Amino acid sequence: MDSDPELDVSLKLRTRTVLLVLVEIALTIPVIMMLWWVFGYMDGVGWSSTNKNKFNWHPIAMILGMFFLFGNAVIAFRLFPFNLKINKWIHAVLHLLAVALIIFGLVAVFEYHADWGYTDLYTLHSWIGIVTSVGYITWALLSVGVFQDLEPRRYVWLRKWFKPIHIVVGMFLLFGALFAIETGIYEKEFFRMFSGSVDYTNYATEGWLVNVMCLSVLVAMLFLIYILYTIPKIVVSSRPPPTDKQPIIEKAAPPTATPGTEFASIDPNLAAGDTQ
């Protein structure tokens, strides 16, 4: 039995919708866990120079920008139920919001170090994080400048040349974000343990939370990579699709004359039978 094309399309849309819901759940769970960790075990946030909780803005901003918004941006073309133009703008806006949060997170951690006299950029996490952050900010702004040109017909050759590089670098940045987040969470937890901020006798709950959070970040990132390599892009254009067939122009049939009126158009008197 031949399959119904409309049924096939519906199934594909349902599949994309289910995958989108699953991705959003996978991206949201680590964010909720991070907020639970910060506000439940690290006394929330602050911004004064005498408040060590200024640092806590850093993990919140980074997991929102480098994980949640970055993750949504990379799946925009594959799972968001809009046409190509709208998905393109969503992709760009999400990246720009992520850039803003990453910059805010960097400001928070550098100001915290300056307030308390700590050394900058001496751990593996800080090296991975600063390289990924600067790379992401630079690449996002450059990519938006290339692909969001107000004149879409200009520099087509540049877009065609830049697109595969854009995708490859984006994948490297996705892995960099994964390593930066994982190393950052464990670095902070080890500092808390060795500084005595964590009571080892009551560590079980926080330890489980940190471990599950790191695993959930890893699972979400692997899920994103699976989506990127298995789900084709939605390429529905906002323009009407071109048609291969030329419109058929029906020619009107020539008028037929009734008996006795063949010469009506020449002389009405003849058509009336007047021969005088």
Side-chain angles (χ1 to χ4, degrees):
M1 180 182 296
D2 294 337
S3 61
D4 185 355
E6 294 184 358
L7 179 61
D8 291 341
V9 171
S10 177
L11 287 173
K12 291 179 182 179
L13 290 176
R14 283 203 297 268
T15 301
R16 291 180 190 274
T17 302
V18 170
L19 288 174
L20 178 60
V21 171
L22 292 176
V23 169
E24 294 302 328
I25 292 173
L27 291 174
T28 303
I29 288 175
V31 175
I32 294 174
M33 288 185 172
M34 177 62 73
L35 295 174
W36 182 9
W37 188 37
V38 169
F39 289 95
Y41 295 94
M42 295 194 293
D43 300 326
V45 295
W47 196 258
S48 67
S49 59
T50 59
N51 191 341
K52 284 195 171 185
N53 291 347
K54 179 187 287 188
F55 171 86
N56 293 342
W57 284 111
H58 176 71
I60 292 175
M62 289 305 183
I63 202 164
L64 286 173
M66 199 175 284
F67 175 75
F68 185 80
L69 293 177
F70 189 5
N72 274 285
V74 299
I75 63 168
F77 290 112
R78 287 170 168 78
L79 297 182
F80 286 7
F82 308 107
N83 62 50
L84 183 61
K85 183 177 181 180
I86 294 177
N87 285 341
K88 183 178 179 181
W89 279 103
I90 292 174
H91 179 77
V93 170
L94 289 175
H95 276 309
L96 292 178
L97 291 174
V99 165
L101 282 170
I102 290 171
I103 293 174
F104 175 72
L106 292 176
V107 170
V109 70
F110 280 118
E111 283 202 9
Y112 166 75
H113 285 179
D115 292 340
W116 293 87
Y118 295 148
T119 305
D120 293 321
L121 303 176
Y122 69 95
T123 64
L124 177 63
H125 161 69
S126 63
W127 291 1
I128 297 174
I130 196 66
V131 170
T132 304
S133 297
V134 173
Y136 184 88
I137 293 169
T138 304
W139 200 246
L141 296 178
L142 178 62
S143 299
V144 169
V146 171
F147 289 109
Q148 300 297 133
D149 194 299
L150 295 178
E151 295 291 338
R153 295 184 180 180
R154 295 173 58 191
Y155 309 117
V156 176
W157 63 270
L158 177 60
R159 290 188 179 90
K160 292 180 66 175
W161 174 80
F162 188 73
K163 185 176 180 180
I165 303 174
H166 170 76
I167 295 173
V168 171
V169 173
M171 288 300 300
F172 275 105
L173 291 173
L174 191 65
F175 281 108
L178 171 63
F179 295 143
I181 292 170
E182 299 282 16
T183 56
I185 292 172
Y186 267 101
E187 179 182 287
K188 178 60 178 177
E189 190 62 7
F190 280 128
F191 285 167
R192 282 170 51 76
M193 291 168 60
F194 292 134
S195 67
S197 300
V198 178
D199 182 3
Y200 282 92
T201 60
N202 297 319
Y203 179 65
T205 304
E206 184 176 353
W208 274 97
L209 175 63
V210 170
N211 290 340
V212 173
M213 178 165 50
C214 287
L215 287 175
S216 64
V217 169
L218 176 61
V219 170
M221 286 292 194
L222 293 176
F223 194 16
L224 290 177
I225 294 170
Y226 168 79
I227 296 296
L228 292 175
Y229 277 96
T230 60
I231 305 299
K233 290 184 177 180
I234 299 176
V235 291
V236 178
S237 176
S238 57
R239 303 173 184 175
T243 178
D244 295 333
K245 297 181 179 181
Q246 296 295 328
I248 300 175
I249 302 176
E250 296 184 359
K251 295 183 179 180
T256 57
T258 57
T261 62
E262 292 86 349
F263 304 101
S265 60
I266 300 176
D267 190 346
N269 294 326
L270 293 177
D274 187 2
T275 58
Q276 292 181 353

